[in-house]
Amino acid sequence: MFQVGDKIVHPMHGAGIVDSIVQKKVNGVVREYYVLKLPVGGMLVMIPTHNCEEIGVRPVIPGEEADRVLAAIPEIQVEITQNWNQRYRENMLRIKSGDLMEVARVVKSLVQRDGERGLSTGERKMLHSAKQILISEIVLSQDSSYEAVEARLDRALS
């Protein structure tokens, strides 16, 4: 169980800090929720405490591991599936896995595809979302600024 002030990651929304733990009645059932405050955009996400494990909520990675992820990006091998629908599903599964290296793989493959052929609107949104997830966790793991981490990511991708 997480506590107020813990830095945690939601696979689909990125990293944030547990702002509070509240009880809410939804569909007639009272449950506890973590209120996760995301540093990017200041958005609040409510996560049911009872199924955090199923969702894939986890603590933010240590700073050294974040460095390893950024350092590994230039070496990540990506194979780009030609079928748009299949490629989208594969990338969505990678993001949902919660594995930061898999999110980095999605970012790299979409950036490469954008440079070669351009992206559809759906893939452009996915790239934006995957970058936010990746950057938000590194920002919290290293107490760094969004801009600094984004610049490091851009260097790793070029």
Side-chain angles (χ1 to χ4, degrees):
M1 182 125 180
F2 300 109
Q3 307 296 317
V4 172
D6 285 355
K7 296 175 181 180
I8 63 174
V9 179
H10 185 289
M12 295 305 293
H13 297 290
I17 299 170
V18 177
D19 194 49
S20 59
I21 301 172
V22 298
Q23 286 192 339
K24 287 270 188 195
K25 188 174 189 175
V26 177
N27 295 334
V29 180
V30 176
R31 289 203 171 109
E32 277 196 339
Y33 292 84
Y34 295 118
V35 178
L36 183 64
K37 185 171 175 131
L38 304 178
V40 178
M43 188 168 81
L44 293 177
V45 177
M46 293 183 70
I47 307 168
T49 59
H50 72 281
N51 66 345
C52 273
E53 240 175 78
E54 291 170 37
I55 295 170
V57 175
R58 60 173 174 73
V60 167
I61 61 172
E64 313 81 63
E65 196 173 325
D67 282 335
R68 282 195 293 280
V69 169
L70 281 172
I73 288 174
E75 307 306 316
I76 292 175
Q77 298 298 313
V78 293
E79 66 282 341
I80 299 177
T81 306
Q82 293 306 310
N83 180 307
W84 179 91
N85 203 15
Q86 185 179 350
R87 189 172 60 242
Y88 189 87
R89 275 195 311 259
E90 287 170 358
N91 284 337
M92 191 56 76
L93 285 173
R94 285 186 175 111
I95 292 171
K96 284 182 179 178
S97 75
D99 180 337
L100 203 57
M101 193 61 84
E102 288 301 309
V103 176
R105 182 181 308 281
V106 169
V107 170
K108 182 168 183 180
S109 72
L110 290 175
V111 164
Q112 262 185 6
R113 177 138 184 112
D114 192 26
E116 294 168 8
R117 293 206 173 101
L119 296 175
S120 67
T121 303
E123 285 182 312
R124 193 165 302 289
K125 284 182 182 176
M126 180 181 278
L127 173 57
H128 177 73
S129 178
K131 268 184 147 178
Q132 298 286 35
I133 291 167
L134 183 62
I135 292 170
S136 70
E137 184 161 5
I138 296 171
V139 163
L140 283 182
S141 76
Q142 298 187 332
D143 290 322
S144 191
S145 74
Y146 184 90
E147 294 76 20
V149 173
E150 187 175 34
R152 288 176 63 200
L153 176 60
D154 289 343
R155 278 194 303 278
L157 288 166
S158 59

